[in-house]
Amino acid sequence: MSGRDLFPGVSEAEWRDWRWQQRHALRTPEAVARLVDLSDAERRGLALTAGAFRVAITPYYASLIDPHHPFCPVRMQAIPVAAEAEAAPGDLRDPLGEDRHRPCRAVVHKYPDRVLFLVTDTCAVYCRHCTRRRITGGEEGAFDRAAAEEGIAYVRAHPAVRDVLVSGGDPLVLGDERLGWLLRELRAIPHVEILRLATRAPVTCPMRVDDALARLLRGVKPLFVVTHFNHLKECTPEAQEACERLVDHGVPVENQTVLLRRVNSTARNIAALNQRLLAWRVRPYYLHQGDVAEGTGHWRTPLACGIEILEQLRGHTSGLAVPHLAVDLPGGGGKVTLQPEYRLGPAPGGTEFRNYRGERYLYPDPPEADCSCPYDEVFHAGPARRSVE
């Protein structure tokens, strides 16, 4: 059944209008129940989380849901279950320690040379595993122009900032005029070298990615779109069209997958997803261990699960399809990456390794180990100047 079959009377033009999709998102238990055969856990989840965290599912994303199977990966990401209302050991309201690094409302400045720039508390679809649910739940209120201007002034006043990640919420719920103003203001700051934009729009509302948006993003290059596919079921022709439109306009697209228990927590799922994304010219970047956000304990996997997935990918698929396994340390410690251990230790004449098949190999270490670069001081001092007589 197509998406439009679930919404009789909707024209093709309406269905392909991203504003229509956002206006007609499913936001109440009654609206969800009209399209999905809700399980007891989902009915309780919708009741228990009402008022705590928003529900919104675009008609497009709802059309991907299997209405009869509670373990449909799209359904699990969009509809709360009772476990979301239960506290898990280690849960934190601010799992990444962002609030203590917020010099102003719109900016999180945890790393020396880059900042997170928050532009909205709204999403087209509210992921049930959201790490920033204290903001996207609506507790803080909307981000207005004054908050954005204050954030821009902060970035302008800190010349060490060379990389700005625009996020929220989802920046692509904003119209082109407001989004374009913000991106152009950031691009005009001389020390800002790179812009990144984090969005699930290619996944949850791909019609948002039209030619006008792609031209806008191209116009503030270098800008990278960082999107968030979690399962092959989300890789539809519409999603492909959105991703390829961006790439064709010269906007690189990278993907960050969150490891979700019983949704994508096997190597088979991650390999299938990443191989499809690569075919669309979308680079798999991170596989994120679940953050310790309140209400998300039922999603989290043991760290060993992610490492085992990488172990099964390495050597069995292209290296481009093997993401970094990232853990954002609770409380604000920042990202660290993990991988299987291939280095076995020192051995006579070098270092011993194992490969993906478990075979042992010796890498010979060179007898001389001076790794300094003599030309550095000349090169980094700038071009040689000739005196003018």
Side-chain angles (χ1 to χ4, degrees):
M1 181 178 292
S2 70
R4 287 175 56 197
D5 291 335
L6 298 173
F7 296 85
V10 177
S11 69
E12 177 69 18
E14 287 175 319
W15 184 260
R16 294 190 63 82
D17 182 348
W18 66 271
R19 296 174 183 84
W20 182 92
Q21 289 282 337
Q22 289 187 181
R23 287 197 304 269
H24 291 82
L26 285 60
R27 301 182 187 275
T28 65
E30 294 76 21
V32 176
R34 282 197 293 270
L35 296 181
V36 178
D37 183 14
L38 293 172
S39 68
D40 289 342
E42 289 168 329
R43 291 184 186 279
R44 290 176 55 222
L46 286 163
L48 291 170
T49 60
F53 188 59
R54 296 163 169 165
V55 171
I57 314 171
T58 58
Y60 163 80
Y61 200 60
S63 74
L64 307 185
I65 291 175
D66 183 332
H68 308 298
H69 202 305
F71 287 100
C72 165
V74 175
R75 178 171 171 168
M76 292 175 73
Q77 292 180 70
I79 302 175
V81 293
E84 192 173 312
E86 300 172 2
D91 275 3
L92 297 172
R93 180 177 178 276
D94 177 19
L96 308 184
E98 293 177 337
D99 288 345
R100 62 190 176 91
H101 294 284
R102 285 175 81 177
C104 57
R105 184 147 184 262
V107 172
V108 178
H109 193 175
K110 283 171 48 176
Y111 298 97
D113 70 336
R114 51 204 182 277
V115 299
L116 172 69
F117 201 110
L118 304 173
V119 298
T120 181
D121 68 336
T122 304
C123 297
V125 173
Y126 293 98
C127 305
R128 307 323 301 179
H129 55 279
C130 179
T131 192
R132 209 167 283 134
R133 54 204 296 127
R134 73 193 185 284
I135 294 174
T136 54
E139 293 178 30
E140 291 192 5
F143 288 75
D144 58 12
R145 186 175 179 117
E149 289 176 340
E150 182 185 28
I152 292 166
Y154 177 87
V155 175
R156 190 178 291 120
H158 289 78
V161 175
R162 52 175 291 277
D163 182 347
V164 179
L165 172 60
V166 178
S167 187
D170 194 322
L172 292 192
V173 302
L174 305 178
D176 288 358
E177 182 177 353
R178 183 174 170 188
L179 180 66
W181 166 79
L182 173 71
L183 295 176
R184 286 188 289 270
E185 288 290 312
L186 291 170
R187 169 52 59 229
I189 299 173
H191 54 265
V192 173
E193 299 174 7
I194 298 172
L195 296 176
R196 290 179 287 160
L197 187 145
T199 178
R200 280 208 94 187
V203 183
T204 62
C205 190
M207 44 286 294
R208 175 64 183 97
V209 185
D210 55 19
D211 285 336
L213 176 69
R215 287 194 298 268
L216 186 163
L217 299 181
R218 167 69 178 182
V220 291
K221 65 178 178 68
L223 178 143
F224 295 78
V225 166
V226 183
T227 192
H228 180 181
F229 287 86
N230 285 329
H231 194 277
L232 189 62
K233 201 172 197 294
E234 298 169 327
C235 295
T236 64
E238 294 90 341
Q240 179 179 4
E241 181 182 354
C243 291
E244 294 192 335
R245 175 173 285 118
L246 290 169
V247 177
D248 287 345
H249 278 78
V251 180
V253 183
E254 300 193 335
N255 188 65
Q256 299 188 123
T257 293
V258 176
L259 190 55
L260 301 172
R261 193 191 325 168
R262 308 195 82 183
V263 168
N264 59 9
S265 50
T266 65
R268 177 181 181 180
N269 274 303
I270 299 301
L273 171 64
N274 288 353
Q275 288 165 353
R276 180 67 57 82
L277 292 175
L278 282 176
W280 296 355
R281 293 167 291 163
V282 174
R283 175 191 173 225
Y285 180 32
Y286 278 136
L287 176 62
H288 277 284
Q289 176 70 17
D291 296 325
V292 291
E294 291 177 336
T296 65
H298 59 295
W299 291 111
R300 294 197 287 274
T301 60
L303 285 171
C305 177
I307 294 173
E308 176 63 22
I309 287 173
L310 294 194
E311 181 84 67
Q312 294 180 45
L313 294 181
R314 181 68 65 185
H316 297 280
T317 188
S318 165
L320 288 171
V322 182
H324 299 289
L325 176 60
V327 182
D328 221 322
L329 299 177
K335 285 188 181 69
V336 297
T337 56
L338 302 176
Q339 64 176 358
E341 185 57 70
Y342 296 103
R343 179 179 179 274
L344 300 177
T351 302
E352 190 174 36
F353 289 84
R354 68 174 179 88
N355 67 4
Y356 72 98
R357 291 189 295 264
E359 301 162 340
R360 293 179 174 239
Y361 291 86
L362 179 70
Y363 182 88
D365 287 330
E368 300 292 335
D370 180 3
C371 296
S372 63
C373 300
Y375 193 66
D376 274 2
E377 290 186 18
V378 176
F379 181 78
H380 292 292
R385 296 179 180 272
R386 291 186 296 172
S387 62
V388 178
E389 305 246 340

